[in-house]
Every structure is written in C-alpha cells, then in structure tokens.
C-alpha cells in the first residue's frame, strides 16, 4: 500500500482470524438478544440472516411464528436460501427433540403459495434434506 493512503495490507491468516473474531462477537451478542416476532417476510428474512448461524436462535425465531401464519408472512415468495436453511433447521434442530413442531412447521411451509415452485428450483442437497425430513416424519 502506498504510504499515507490509509490502507493496510494483511495476510490471509490475519483476515481469517479477524473474520472469526467478528463472527464470535456477533454470536455472543445474539445470545443475549431476545428474538422479536417479525411483522412480515422482510423482517423475518432480515432476522433469519442474523441468526441462521446460531441453531438455538434460528429455532427460537422459527418458534416465534405460529406455523399456520407462515403463508401470510410469505404471501408471494420465500427466498430459496431462506427456505433451504429453514428445512435444514427443521432437520437438525426440530426433528431430534420436537418432531411434532417439525411436522407443524413443515405443514406451514407446504401451505406457502409458491412452495411447489420453490422445491423445483432447489438444489440437490436441499431436496435431499427435505426428503429426509419427510421420511422421518412419516416414521421411516
């Protein structure tokens, strides 16, 4: 960097360490921050992006919305990455300890207006996760 330019050049290891510390700081802040009920899909997706890396907070956010209200939250569409992350959360956080809630949540997702289209656009990994959730809920 040119002298006096205000830019600092750091190595990859330093950059990774800074990113790790920032992630840990955000997660520590989230641990003490109560989840507020989002008013709409935009607020939900904004909150989801903040908590998706913290399984307990992601589950808390999903639990804050009655599954029957999901279609009204996502009247027109749900982002593919958000849907995929919710399905992963159902598989990893709900199925092991709260299968009834997993079933209710999945029922709420199935009622979304464009759910069938979203499934068709999912990647193979996400479709496999959905398949595992469905198989588990069917008792298989």
């Amino acid at each position: 960097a040119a002298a006096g330019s205000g830019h600092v050049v750091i190595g990859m290891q330093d950059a990774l360490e800074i990113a790790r510390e920032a992630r840990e700081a955000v997660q520590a802040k989230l641990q003490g921050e109560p989840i507020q009920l989002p008013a709409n899909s935009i607020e939900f997706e904004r909150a989801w992006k903040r908590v998706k890396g913290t399984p307990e907070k992601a589950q808390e956010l999903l639990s804050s919305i009655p599954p029957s209200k999901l279609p009204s939250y996502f009247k027109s569409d749900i982002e593919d990455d958000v849907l995929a992350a919710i399905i992963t959360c159902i598989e990893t956080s709900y199925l092991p300890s709260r299968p009834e809630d997993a079933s209710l949540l999945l029922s709420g997702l199935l009622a979304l207006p464009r759910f069938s289209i979203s499934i068709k656009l999912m990647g193979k990994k996400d479709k496999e996760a959905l398949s595992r959730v469905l198989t588990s809920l069917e008792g298989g």
Side-chain angles (χ1 to χ4, degrees), residues 32-121:
E33 189 176 296
I35 296 291
Q36 295 181 347
L37 179 65
N40 54 45
S41 64
I42 294 168
E43 285 184 16
F44 176 86
E45 289 181 2
R46 188 177 307 132
W48 182 259
K49 288 176 182 176
R50 279 198 332 264
V51 302
K52 69 180 179 182
T54 310
E56 301 82 24
K57 287 292 182 179
Q59 185 176 3
E60 187 179 337
L61 176 61
L62 282 175
S63 297
S64 74
I65 303 170
S68 61
K69 300 258 187 229
L70 286 173
S72 63
Y73 267 79
F74 300 102
K75 291 177 187 138
S76 59
D77 205 3
I78 184 170
E79 288 185 22
D80 296 340
D81 61 326
V82 173
L83 178 60
I86 290 172
I87 290 169
T88 298
C89 184
I90 291 171
E91 180 180 27
T92 59
S93 298
Y94 280 84
L95 281 180
S97 59
R98 298 170 55 189
E100 303 83 18
D101 291 337
S103 180
L104 291 171
L105 190 52
L106 190 60
S107 293
L109 290 174
L110 290 169
L112 295 179
R114 297 177 48 108
F115 187 77
S116 61
I117 294 170
S118 295
I119 289 174
K120 290 176 184 171
L121 300 174

Side-chain angles (χ1 to χ4, degrees), residues 95 99-100 102-103 106 130-140:
L95 281 180
E100 303 83 18
S103 180
L106 190 60
L130 178 58
S131 178
R132 287 190 301 271
V133 168
L134 291 169
T135 300
S136 179
L137 289 174
E138 290 170 351

Side-chain angles (χ1 to χ4, degrees), residues 23 26 72 99:
R23 183 175 54 252
V26 167
S72 63

